Amino acid sequence: MTIDSKFQFSDLSDQELLYGAKTCPGCAATIAVRLALKVLGERTFVCVPACCLAATTNAYPQVSFAVNYVVTAFPATASTIAGMAAAAEMQGLEDVTILGIAGDGGTADIGLQALSGVCERNDNVIYLCYDNEAYMNTGIQRSSSTPWGAWTTTSPAGEGERGKTKYRKNLFDIIAAHRVPYCATASVAYPMDLMEKVAKAKAIKGARFIHVHAPCPTGWGYSSEKTIEYGKLAVESGLWYLAEYENGEMKLNLTPKTFKPAELYLKGQRRFRHMTEQDYKLIEENRDREWDLLKERVKA
Ligand SMILES: Cc1ncc(C[n+]2csc(CCOP(=O)(O)OP(=O)(O)O)c2C)c(N)n1
Ligand code: SF4
Ligand SMILES: [Mg+2]
């Protein structure tokens, strides 16, 4: 499945603004950030909270970001970038992009209140959430973005326990409900679509949010060369979707005619290895309910 993207390889800068990060091989978080910075360019001021990205891009005396970069407290990405945007405005810096980058825990859980404030005030920032579906940096604890049934150290699976017992929070819907100028989901497995969305966000003023699905070989339990394969399978099986909210309207960038079986995505990952046929079925039923709701909103 491909998406018609206006973003072309010829648009791609060969300038590297993120390199030397000490992430695990196959880490999608760094792929997302590297691609985003290629689009945003060197006049970008970045803020990252405690998360894998912060832990792996500051191995003293090295810093992996070749742009201005600050690390903030776990809940404070949105409030820090709000302050950075205000400072940039006071200094008359009109050619800069203020970019917050945080994990799913830092965004959907502890950072959500500050992010809601940014969206409500329509602060002039881009917020990119790389979603590896758990708190990876601290040893794989569940977040509100961890999918149903996934094993984590705080949602165990085994005798009588079936992994996470709650469905994930829909961050895209939450941010869109703030009526921000631009909000999108993306995946590292669809890099042109991801970069087109970053380019679109760059050209818009106000609060912009991009939620990037970011497979994690270490936390999900698969071998590192399969990151893009799993990213694609998530979309092809309908367990992640590519969408945009712009000018008050929701749009799907890719609608699979038929979904691949969820089992294809789930069965090779260690975090789902306890799952049964019945679990796959429940996941597909929930997927279908979610897609029905999604299609209704796109029609409206
Ligand atoms: C107030 C506070 N609570 C807990 C922590 C410990 N902590 C640091 S990073 C992290 C998890 C981050 O998860 P996520 O945002 O999903 O990023 P990831 O590690 O997955 O990249 C936690 C719990 C902290 N730094 N500050
Ligand atoms: S644990 Fe996952 S998100 Fe963290 S550095 Fe390793 S691959 Fe990347
Ligand atoms: Mg995470």
Side-chain angles (χ1 to χ4, degrees), residues 254-271:
L254 189 69
T255 313
K257 282 200 180 68
T258 50
F259 295 127
K260 285 194 172 166
E263 183 181 353
L264 283 183
Y265 171 64
L266 302 166
K267 74 174 175 199
Q269 299 181 47
R270 188 184 56 224
R271 63 179 176 155

Side-chain angles (χ1 to χ4, degrees), residues 61-72:
Q62 297 172 336
V63 173
S64 304
F65 282 92
V67 293
N68 281 293
Y69 167 50
V70 64
V71 173
T72 194

Side-chain angles (χ1 to χ4, degrees), residues 27 29 49-55 72-75 102-110 129-141 143 145 216:
C27 175
C51 60
C52 274
L53 190 68
T72 194
F74 192 27
D104 48 301
T107 305
D109 294 345
I110 198 169
C129 170
Y130 70 86
D131 193 344
N132 53 23
E133 302 183 336
Y135 294 13
M136 296 308 179
N137 174 50
T138 42
I140 325 179
Q141 294 86 24
S143 78
S145 207
C216 164

Side-chain angles (χ1 to χ4, degrees), residues 151-190:
W151 166 91
T152 67
T153 53
T154 50
S155 58
E159 198 92 341
E161 300 192 283
R162 313 292 314 144
K164 192 181 170 196
T165 56
K166 307 282 181 232
Y167 288 103
R168 73 189 306 164
K169 190 184 276 185
N170 190 322
L171 202 48
F172 175 68
D173 276 358
I174 292 169
I175 304 301
H178 289 74
R179 307 294 176 244
V180 290
Y182 186 71
C183 162
T185 63
S187 163
V188 294
Y190 295 83

